[in-house]
Every structure is written in C-alpha cells, then in structure tokens.
Amino acid sequence: MWPLKWKKREQEYRRQREEFFEAVKRLNRRDFLKVAGLSAAVFTAKTVVPPHSFQVVDVVRAEPQEKPLFRFAYISDTHLYERELNERFVNAALRAVRDVNALDPPPDFVIFGGDLAQLGQPKELELGKQILSELKVPVKMMVGEHDWFLDMGEKWRELFGPENYSFDHKGVHFIVLMSVNEKDFWTERNMTPMERMLTVAQLDNPIQSRFEVGEEGREWLRRDLAKVSKDTPIIIFSHSPLYKYYRPWNFWTEDAEAIHEMLFPFKSVTVIHGHTHQLLTHRIQNIHFHGMLSTAWPWPYAPEGLPKLTVPMERPDPFDEADGTGWGTVDVHRDGYVDKHYNLWSRNPITVAKAYLESWGKEAIPPAPEFPPY
Amino acid sequence: MRTAKLLILVVGIIGLALVATSFERRTVGAQQSKASGGSDRLVVQLCDGETKLEIADARAGEVLPPEKAREVARRMMAAYAEQQAKQVSKWTARDRLTWEREQKRVIEEGYKLFHDWRALGGTIGISCDMCHPDAAATHPETYPKFQTQLKRVATLRDMINWCIENPMKGKPLPPDDPRMIALEAYITSTRKGVPLEPGKH
Ligand SMILES: [Fe+2]
Ligand SMILES: [Fe+2]
C-alpha cells in the first residue's frame, strides 16, 4: 500500500480537515481570518485536489445574518415498505428521527413532508406513524401521493387527520396544503386500487394526471387566507413543488399560477415542499420555494426546467447508499423568510440562506457542485 | 443472411397460392406487367419483401398445378438472380423492418425490466426507475470508465449489475443474459444522439 510517510501526511490532513469544519461551525467575522489560515493549511497538506466545499468561499456564507426567530426541522419522503421486505428505508427513517432528536436545542416542531409509505398500505402507514412517534417534539404531517392513491387517503386521514390544515406559531401562519390530487384517470381504465397506486408511484408513468391542489383545495386555501392579515408571514408546506418544474415527472402543480395569485398580496411567503428528493431553490416575486431531502433516495435533476436560482447538489455517489439523502432544519426569521439547511448524510451540510433569495442569487451563494448533473 | 433469404424464397414457392395485392415499389425485368392495378393475374412476392412478380399465364386465386408451380419457381429464381446482380445493397426493406422491430421489442422488454424489481431478481421492492426515472443519470455514453470502488475501468454492464446487486439486493446477471441486453438496449435508447464521452464523471 502507501508508504508510511504518505499515510502520516494523510492522517495529518484529515485531522486538520476536521478542525477546519469544526471551526467553520463556530464562525463569526473575527474568526474568519483564523479559519481561512487553517483552510490554507489544509490546502498545502493535501495531496489531491480538494472538493469545492473546502474552499474559503463557503466560509463566508456560513456567517449568520441575524439571529433567527425559531427553528423547525423536517423529515421527508421515507417511502416505507414493511420492514420484512425492506429494512433500508426503515433504517434511514429511524436515523433521521435519531438525528432530529439529537438537536440541541431541540427544534420547535418537525414537519413531515409526505410519502411516508411506498404503496399506501395500512401497514406501511402504521409503521411510519410508529417511527415518527419516537420524535421528542411535535410532528406536523403532510400527505404525499404514495400515501394517498391506494385508498384515496382513507387510512392516512384516520391516522393523521385532515389533509389540509393551518396553525399559527410565533407570529407565523403555517399552512399544510394537499397538492397531489389527480384528475380521475383510473375509472375509464378499470384499474384496481393497487393498479392506480402503482401507476402514480411510478414517476415516469405518463398515464397518470398532473398534480393539482384542485378546486376544493383552492377554495379551502382562499377561506384560510381570508382570516390572515397581509403582513403576517406565511409558510406553506406542500408535497409537490407549488410551481412548474418538470411535467413528465410531476415535479409540478398544474394550478400553481392560481395559487400564486392568492399569495402575491402577502408580504412574505415561503413554500417548503417534498416529492423531488433533491436540493431545490426557486423564487417567484414574494414567494420563496425550498425543496426537502428524502431519507430514502435522491432523485436526479430533471433534464430541463430547473429553476435558475437552484445551485444543484452534486451527483450522488452510487457506491454510497446514503449519499444525496438526509433531512434538515429551517431557521425562520422575523420577517418569515428562512434559511434552509440541507443536512446531507454523506456530505457537508448546505445552507440556502434567506439573503441568497432576497438578493436574487447575488449574495450568500451556496457552494457549486464539482460534479454537476448532466 | 443469404441462407436465410433462400429459405424464405423456398417457403415463398411452397405457398405460391398466396396472392399479394399491395402496390409495387420496385419492378424486375420484363416479366413485370406494366398494366398493374386492374390486373387479375397472379402476383407473387420475392423474398426481399418488396419486389412483385406478375405471372402472365396464371390468374389470381388459381391453385397452380405442379408443373406450372415449378415453372413459376424457376422464374422467381431468375428474377431473384437478376435482382441480385443489379442490387447495390445486400439489404432489403424486409431486413430494415426486421431490424427496427427487433430493436423496438428489446427496448420495450428493457423498459419493463427497468420498472419491475421482481423480473430482475430484486429482493427489497426497489426497481431501477425509482432512482432513474426515464433512465436519467445512467449515462451510458460515459462508459467504459474507471470506477474507484470497482478498482477498474468498468462497462455499462458492470454498473447495471452493480445496481442490481446493491440497491436492489439481487444477483448479478450473466453478461449474455437476454435481460442484461434488454436493459442495455433501453438505457442506451434514452440517450440516443448524445455524444459519446467515455471516461466522463
Ligand atoms: Fe417521494
Ligand atoms: Fe411524492
């Protein structure tokens, strides 16, 4: 193998790298030069070209703008099968729960981003409920298409309540919006409930309809928003991105424009969505959008339609089954806009700061991937 | 290929009573009647699947007596030989149809396997499409390339097998397994027209 001399150098390099990342976490402007010096040491000690994330550029980004009002955490897209069939997804969900429970101080609550189950089976949903019940802080549930299309939400509602609801927390109005309704494609095809479920569960199945909030949902939203003053910050949780990214994979909400219209009059709106299993950033006027990671697997970026503000995450390493997956936290600021943290299990965490979106991508730019999607 | 053609020819002769009625796209020699369309003369098709031969002294639908059938066969052979002598390409429209049909069939088979973990021998409910919708991020155009974890320059097959063994917890397929070939056909079909970039990471 490698000569001892190199091994020692490698060890020293690793130690300095650890120290560097520790320092980054505690960073303020005064410490900046010190860490920059340390990172220079990392550069000279290394024997290979460093990944992008070692660069000092990222360190500047880590500097907090202002103390956030509060923090919540998210876990999303666990896609649970029964444990007997698939332990991998169960273990990943448990890992996220453990990680969130280890947060100190604890988050105010956890939002679960949908797709708790893989095929909407009662046993899968029950297993999910059991796993999430280990969380030490309250959980807000959102439904995904994988939870819904076997029995059109019957079991999910029995376990978790209504699919549309809202609540207020520390001056922010939170809305959980069911956005994965589909127009009936199954009746004319005589599909069984399981056939319908499998059709929707297949991302690249063109037979299914496009996701939508739908008329009833929009009416519910209109009534809910009517109770809220225009200055109140709004944070919406939806499973599909509440905009149009890529139609063939339902990275899409068909009636997105109608919903944006309802949200434009408000001072501050943030949408946090599941379903896409990847780092996603978008802004339309006053509305900031952020994606959530899946605990189960990452999805490749779509071949077109990626929002301009998204700095994509690096392509996952196929030899590391946790790569590209994880969970995250959200720091909510006084004005309602957020810093979104992606806690990737096999990578350094990535933050998409409020300042990045507010400056339309000019400031606080997240680190660019060395190996982008293609 | 040539043997196959001859075989088709022989089969064609045996089934001489068969009447082809579709319009002609190519003509052969003097035997071909100018007056097509209204003619009720017997028309036989040569083994290229395109050329039609009209038999002047036999009517459509007529069952030929053995003597006459042999004569027709002789003329067909002659027409075939003449055509062969003139032909620039060895391949006929029938060949082209066969290529297209077989390619499509194998791609469709690959599509099915890509979406069916049971058919590929997966054991934990995970199929390829779950991580690769429309075969995205399979990048067949970048192979062969070095994979650090495999410690060698790997082929697309190696990566397909790797994904069968690992994310899907199945058994690797032998390289000549029709399922492997079908998967390759489907995966590469999704990147048609993309420039080859072996070694790209
Ligand atoms: Fe999902
Ligand atoms: Fe989903």
Side-chain angles (χ1 to χ4, degrees):
Chain A
M1 276 299 286
W2 290 21
L4 192 60
K5 185 175 87 179
W6 288 100
K7 235 183 203 158
K8 276 211 175 121
R9 224 179 252 193
E10 180 76 8
Q11 277 165 5
E12 175 60 13
Y13 166 60
R14 285 194 193 289
R15 192 192 58 73
Q16 290 190 358
R17 184 179 180 276
E18 281 307 305
E19 204 174 310
F20 171 59
F21 285 125
E22 276 312 303
V24 167
K25 283 186 204 151
R26 299 184 302 264
L27 204 69
N28 60 36
R29 192 170 275 286
R30 225 178 321 123
D31 288 337
F32 176 76
L33 279 180
K34 214 167 89 190
V35 178
L38 196 55
S39 103
V42 171
F43 278 99
T44 47
K46 76 198 172 349
T47 54
V48 288
V49 179
H52 179 94
S53 48
F54 287 18
Q55 293 169 23
V56 175
V57 157
D58 304 348
V59 175
V60 179
R61 174 185 52 83
E63 192 183 347
Q65 310 279 315
E66 137 213 327
K67 210 172 133 36
L69 203 58
F70 65 94
R71 161 175 282 195
F72 65 90
Y74 73 83
I75 299 175
S76 193
D77 292 86
T78 50
H79 289 266
L80 298 171
Y81 277 120
E82 281 179 62
R83 194 190 298 265
E84 293 70 37
L85 176 59
N86 181 316
E87 282 217 279
R88 168 177 168 174
F89 294 167
V90 176
N91 289 338
L94 287 167
R95 180 176 180 186
V97 167
R98 257 198 330 270
D99 287 359
V100 169
N101 279 343
L103 284 175
D104 181 24
D108 285 11
F109 61 89
V110 177
I111 170 71
F112 183 82
D115 287 349
L116 181 62
Q118 171 63 8
L119 295 175
Q121 314 249 25
K123 289 223 169 110
E124 296 169 355
L125 291 166
E126 279 158 9
L127 172 63
K129 182 165 184 162
Q130 185 206 329
I131 290 172
L132 294 176
S133 72
E134 317 249 315
L135 283 163
K136 291 189 210 145
V137 294
V139 190
K140 305 288 180 185
M141 291 301 291
M142 174 158 68
V143 77
E145 80 279 13
H146 285 255
D147 308 321
W148 190 263
F149 281 89
L150 185 64
D151 61 5
M152 303 312 284
E154 210 172 292
K155 182 70 187 180
W156 193 91
R157 279 190 300 259
E158 178 199 314
L159 290 173
F160 304 112
E163 67 274 24
N164 288 313
Y165 61 98
S166 64
F167 59 96
D168 295 290
H169 185 79
K170 296 185 177 166
V172 176
H173 186 64
F174 284 88
I175 296 172
V176 179
L177 186 64
M178 160 47 160
S179 66
V180 293
N181 292 296
E182 290 194 14
K183 295 224 154 57
D184 186 341
F185 62 86
W186 49 90
T187 306
E188 62 166 22
R189 292 183 170 86
N190 270 323
M191 287 185 168
T192 63
M194 194 35 135
E195 283 165 347
R196 174 178 61 207
M197 179 71 253
L198 287 167
T199 303
V200 175
Q202 183 193 326
L203 200 67
D204 60 11
N205 189 324
I207 284 173
Q208 62 181 303
S209 311
R210 298 305 106 191
F211 289 154
E212 59 177 30
V213 174
E215 222 172 289
E216 259 177 67
R218 291 199 304 273
E219 192 42 44
W220 177 88
L221 180 63
R222 188 168 295 116
R223 279 200 305 270
D224 189 75
L225 288 171
K227 294 180 291 194
V228 186
S229 94
K230 300 287 184 280
D231 307 329
T232 306
I234 291 179
I235 296 183
I236 299 186
F237 298 124
S238 64
H239 183 67
S240 59
L242 273 187
Y243 57 89
K244 292 178 169 171
Y245 165 13
Y246 188 61
R247 196 168 194 279
W249 296 350
N250 252 335
F251 285 6
W252 189 268
T253 304
E254 189 74 20
D255 49 359
E257 287 89 351
I259 289 154
H260 299 166
E261 285 301 327
M262 286 188 238
L263 298 171
F264 288 149
F266 289 85
K267 210 163 157 186
S268 158
V269 183
T270 300
V271 174
I272 296 177
H273 65 86
H275 186 60
T276 47
H277 302 201
Q278 62 194 225
L279 199 158
L280 268 181
T281 312
H282 190 28
R283 175 174 169 187
I284 300 173
Q285 299 187 28
N286 59 325
I287 314 171
H288 295 193
F289 300 87
H290 295 277
M292 290 188 248
L293 296 171
S294 160
T295 59
W297 73 84
W299 254 328
Y301 285 96
E304 57 186 38
L306 189 65
K308 278 200 194 66
L309 281 174
T310 296
V311 179
M313 60 190 193
E314 192 162 270
R315 294 204 331 276
D317 174 1
F319 295 88
D320 172 357
E321 71 175 33
D323 198 15
T325 63
W327 56 283
T329 55
V330 180
D331 288 330
V332 184
H333 289 266
R334 205 159 292 281
D335 63 3
Y337 287 123
V338 307
D339 298 326
K340 175 76 170 42
H341 305 286
Y342 294 86
N343 293 335
L344 292 148
W345 276 322
S346 295
R347 305 277 176 135
N348 300 318
I350 293 177
T351 295
V352 178
K354 152 180 159 24
Y356 173 69
L357 280 155
E358 278 172 343
S359 65
W360 287 101
K362 290 193 185 65
E363 289 162 28
I365 303 167
E370 188 81 14
F371 293 93
Y374 62 90
Chain B
M1 203 60 220
R2 191 142 289 205
T3 347
K5 272 186 187 170
L6 271 174
L7 192 71
I8 294 170
L9 181 65
V10 170
V11 170
I13 291 163
I14 292 168
L16 247 180
L18 217 145
V19 181
T21 51
S22 54
F23 30 65
E24 4 173 317
R25 285 174 49 202
R26 250 159 58 177
T27 54
V28 178
Q31 287 114 320
Q32 191 71 39
S33 158
K34 290 218 166 57
S36 55
S39 165
D40 64 345
R41 275 175 286 181
L42 175 64
V43 180
V44 291
Q45 193 173 33
L46 290 201
C47 65
D48 63 358
E50 275 184 31
T51 314
K52 296 199 177 69
L53 184 60
E54 249 186 49
I55 312 297
D57 47 359
R59 268 194 318 283
E62 182 183 341
V63 179
L64 299 176
E67 201 62 355
K68 207 166 185 179
R70 265 198 294 279
E71 169 56 16
V72 169
R74 195 194 56 73
R75 272 194 257 161
M76 283 177 79
M77 278 303 247
Y80 177 71
E82 186 185 344
Q83 190 194 47
Q84 288 290 296
K86 279 193 210 153
Q87 200 173 344
V88 177
S89 171
K90 189 173 164 183
W91 313 111
T92 63
R94 178 161 283 166
D95 289 317
R96 255 172 273 140
L97 283 174
T98 309
W99 298 337
E100 275 163 31
R101 195 186 51 222
E102 287 302 298
Q103 184 79 7
K104 191 160 166 284
R105 187 182 62 74
V106 175
I107 289 172
E108 276 164 11
E109 181 61 26
Y111 176 92
K112 279 196 209 119
L113 293 165
F114 201 82
H115 292 78
D116 184 349
W117 56 273
R118 288 183 186 89
L120 272 185
T123 56
I124 56 167
I126 301 183
S127 53
C128 311
D129 63 298
M130 276 167 63
C131 302
H132 301 286
D134 290 325
T138 52
H139 304 129
E141 76 278 9
T142 65
Y143 283 86
K145 72 178 166 197
F146 187 78
Q147 290 290 10
T148 309
Q149 292 83 346
L150 298 177
K151 298 185 184 66
R152 63 186 154 86
V153 172
T155 63
L156 182 63
R157 282 175 195 204
D158 293 328
M159 275 314 285
I160 292 174
N161 263 340
W162 195 90
C163 272
I164 291 176
E165 273 189 277
N166 293 277
M168 293 181 39
K169 301 273 176 282
K171 288 205 182 67
L173 299 175
D176 58 351
D177 190 307
R179 288 175 295 175
M180 174 59 87
I181 293 160
L183 279 173
E184 273 185 346
Y186 168 63
I187 289 172
T188 49
S189 77
T190 63
R191 298 292 270 184
K192 205 172 168 173
V194 175
L196 281 178
E197 279 194 80
K200 179 172 176 171
H201 278 271

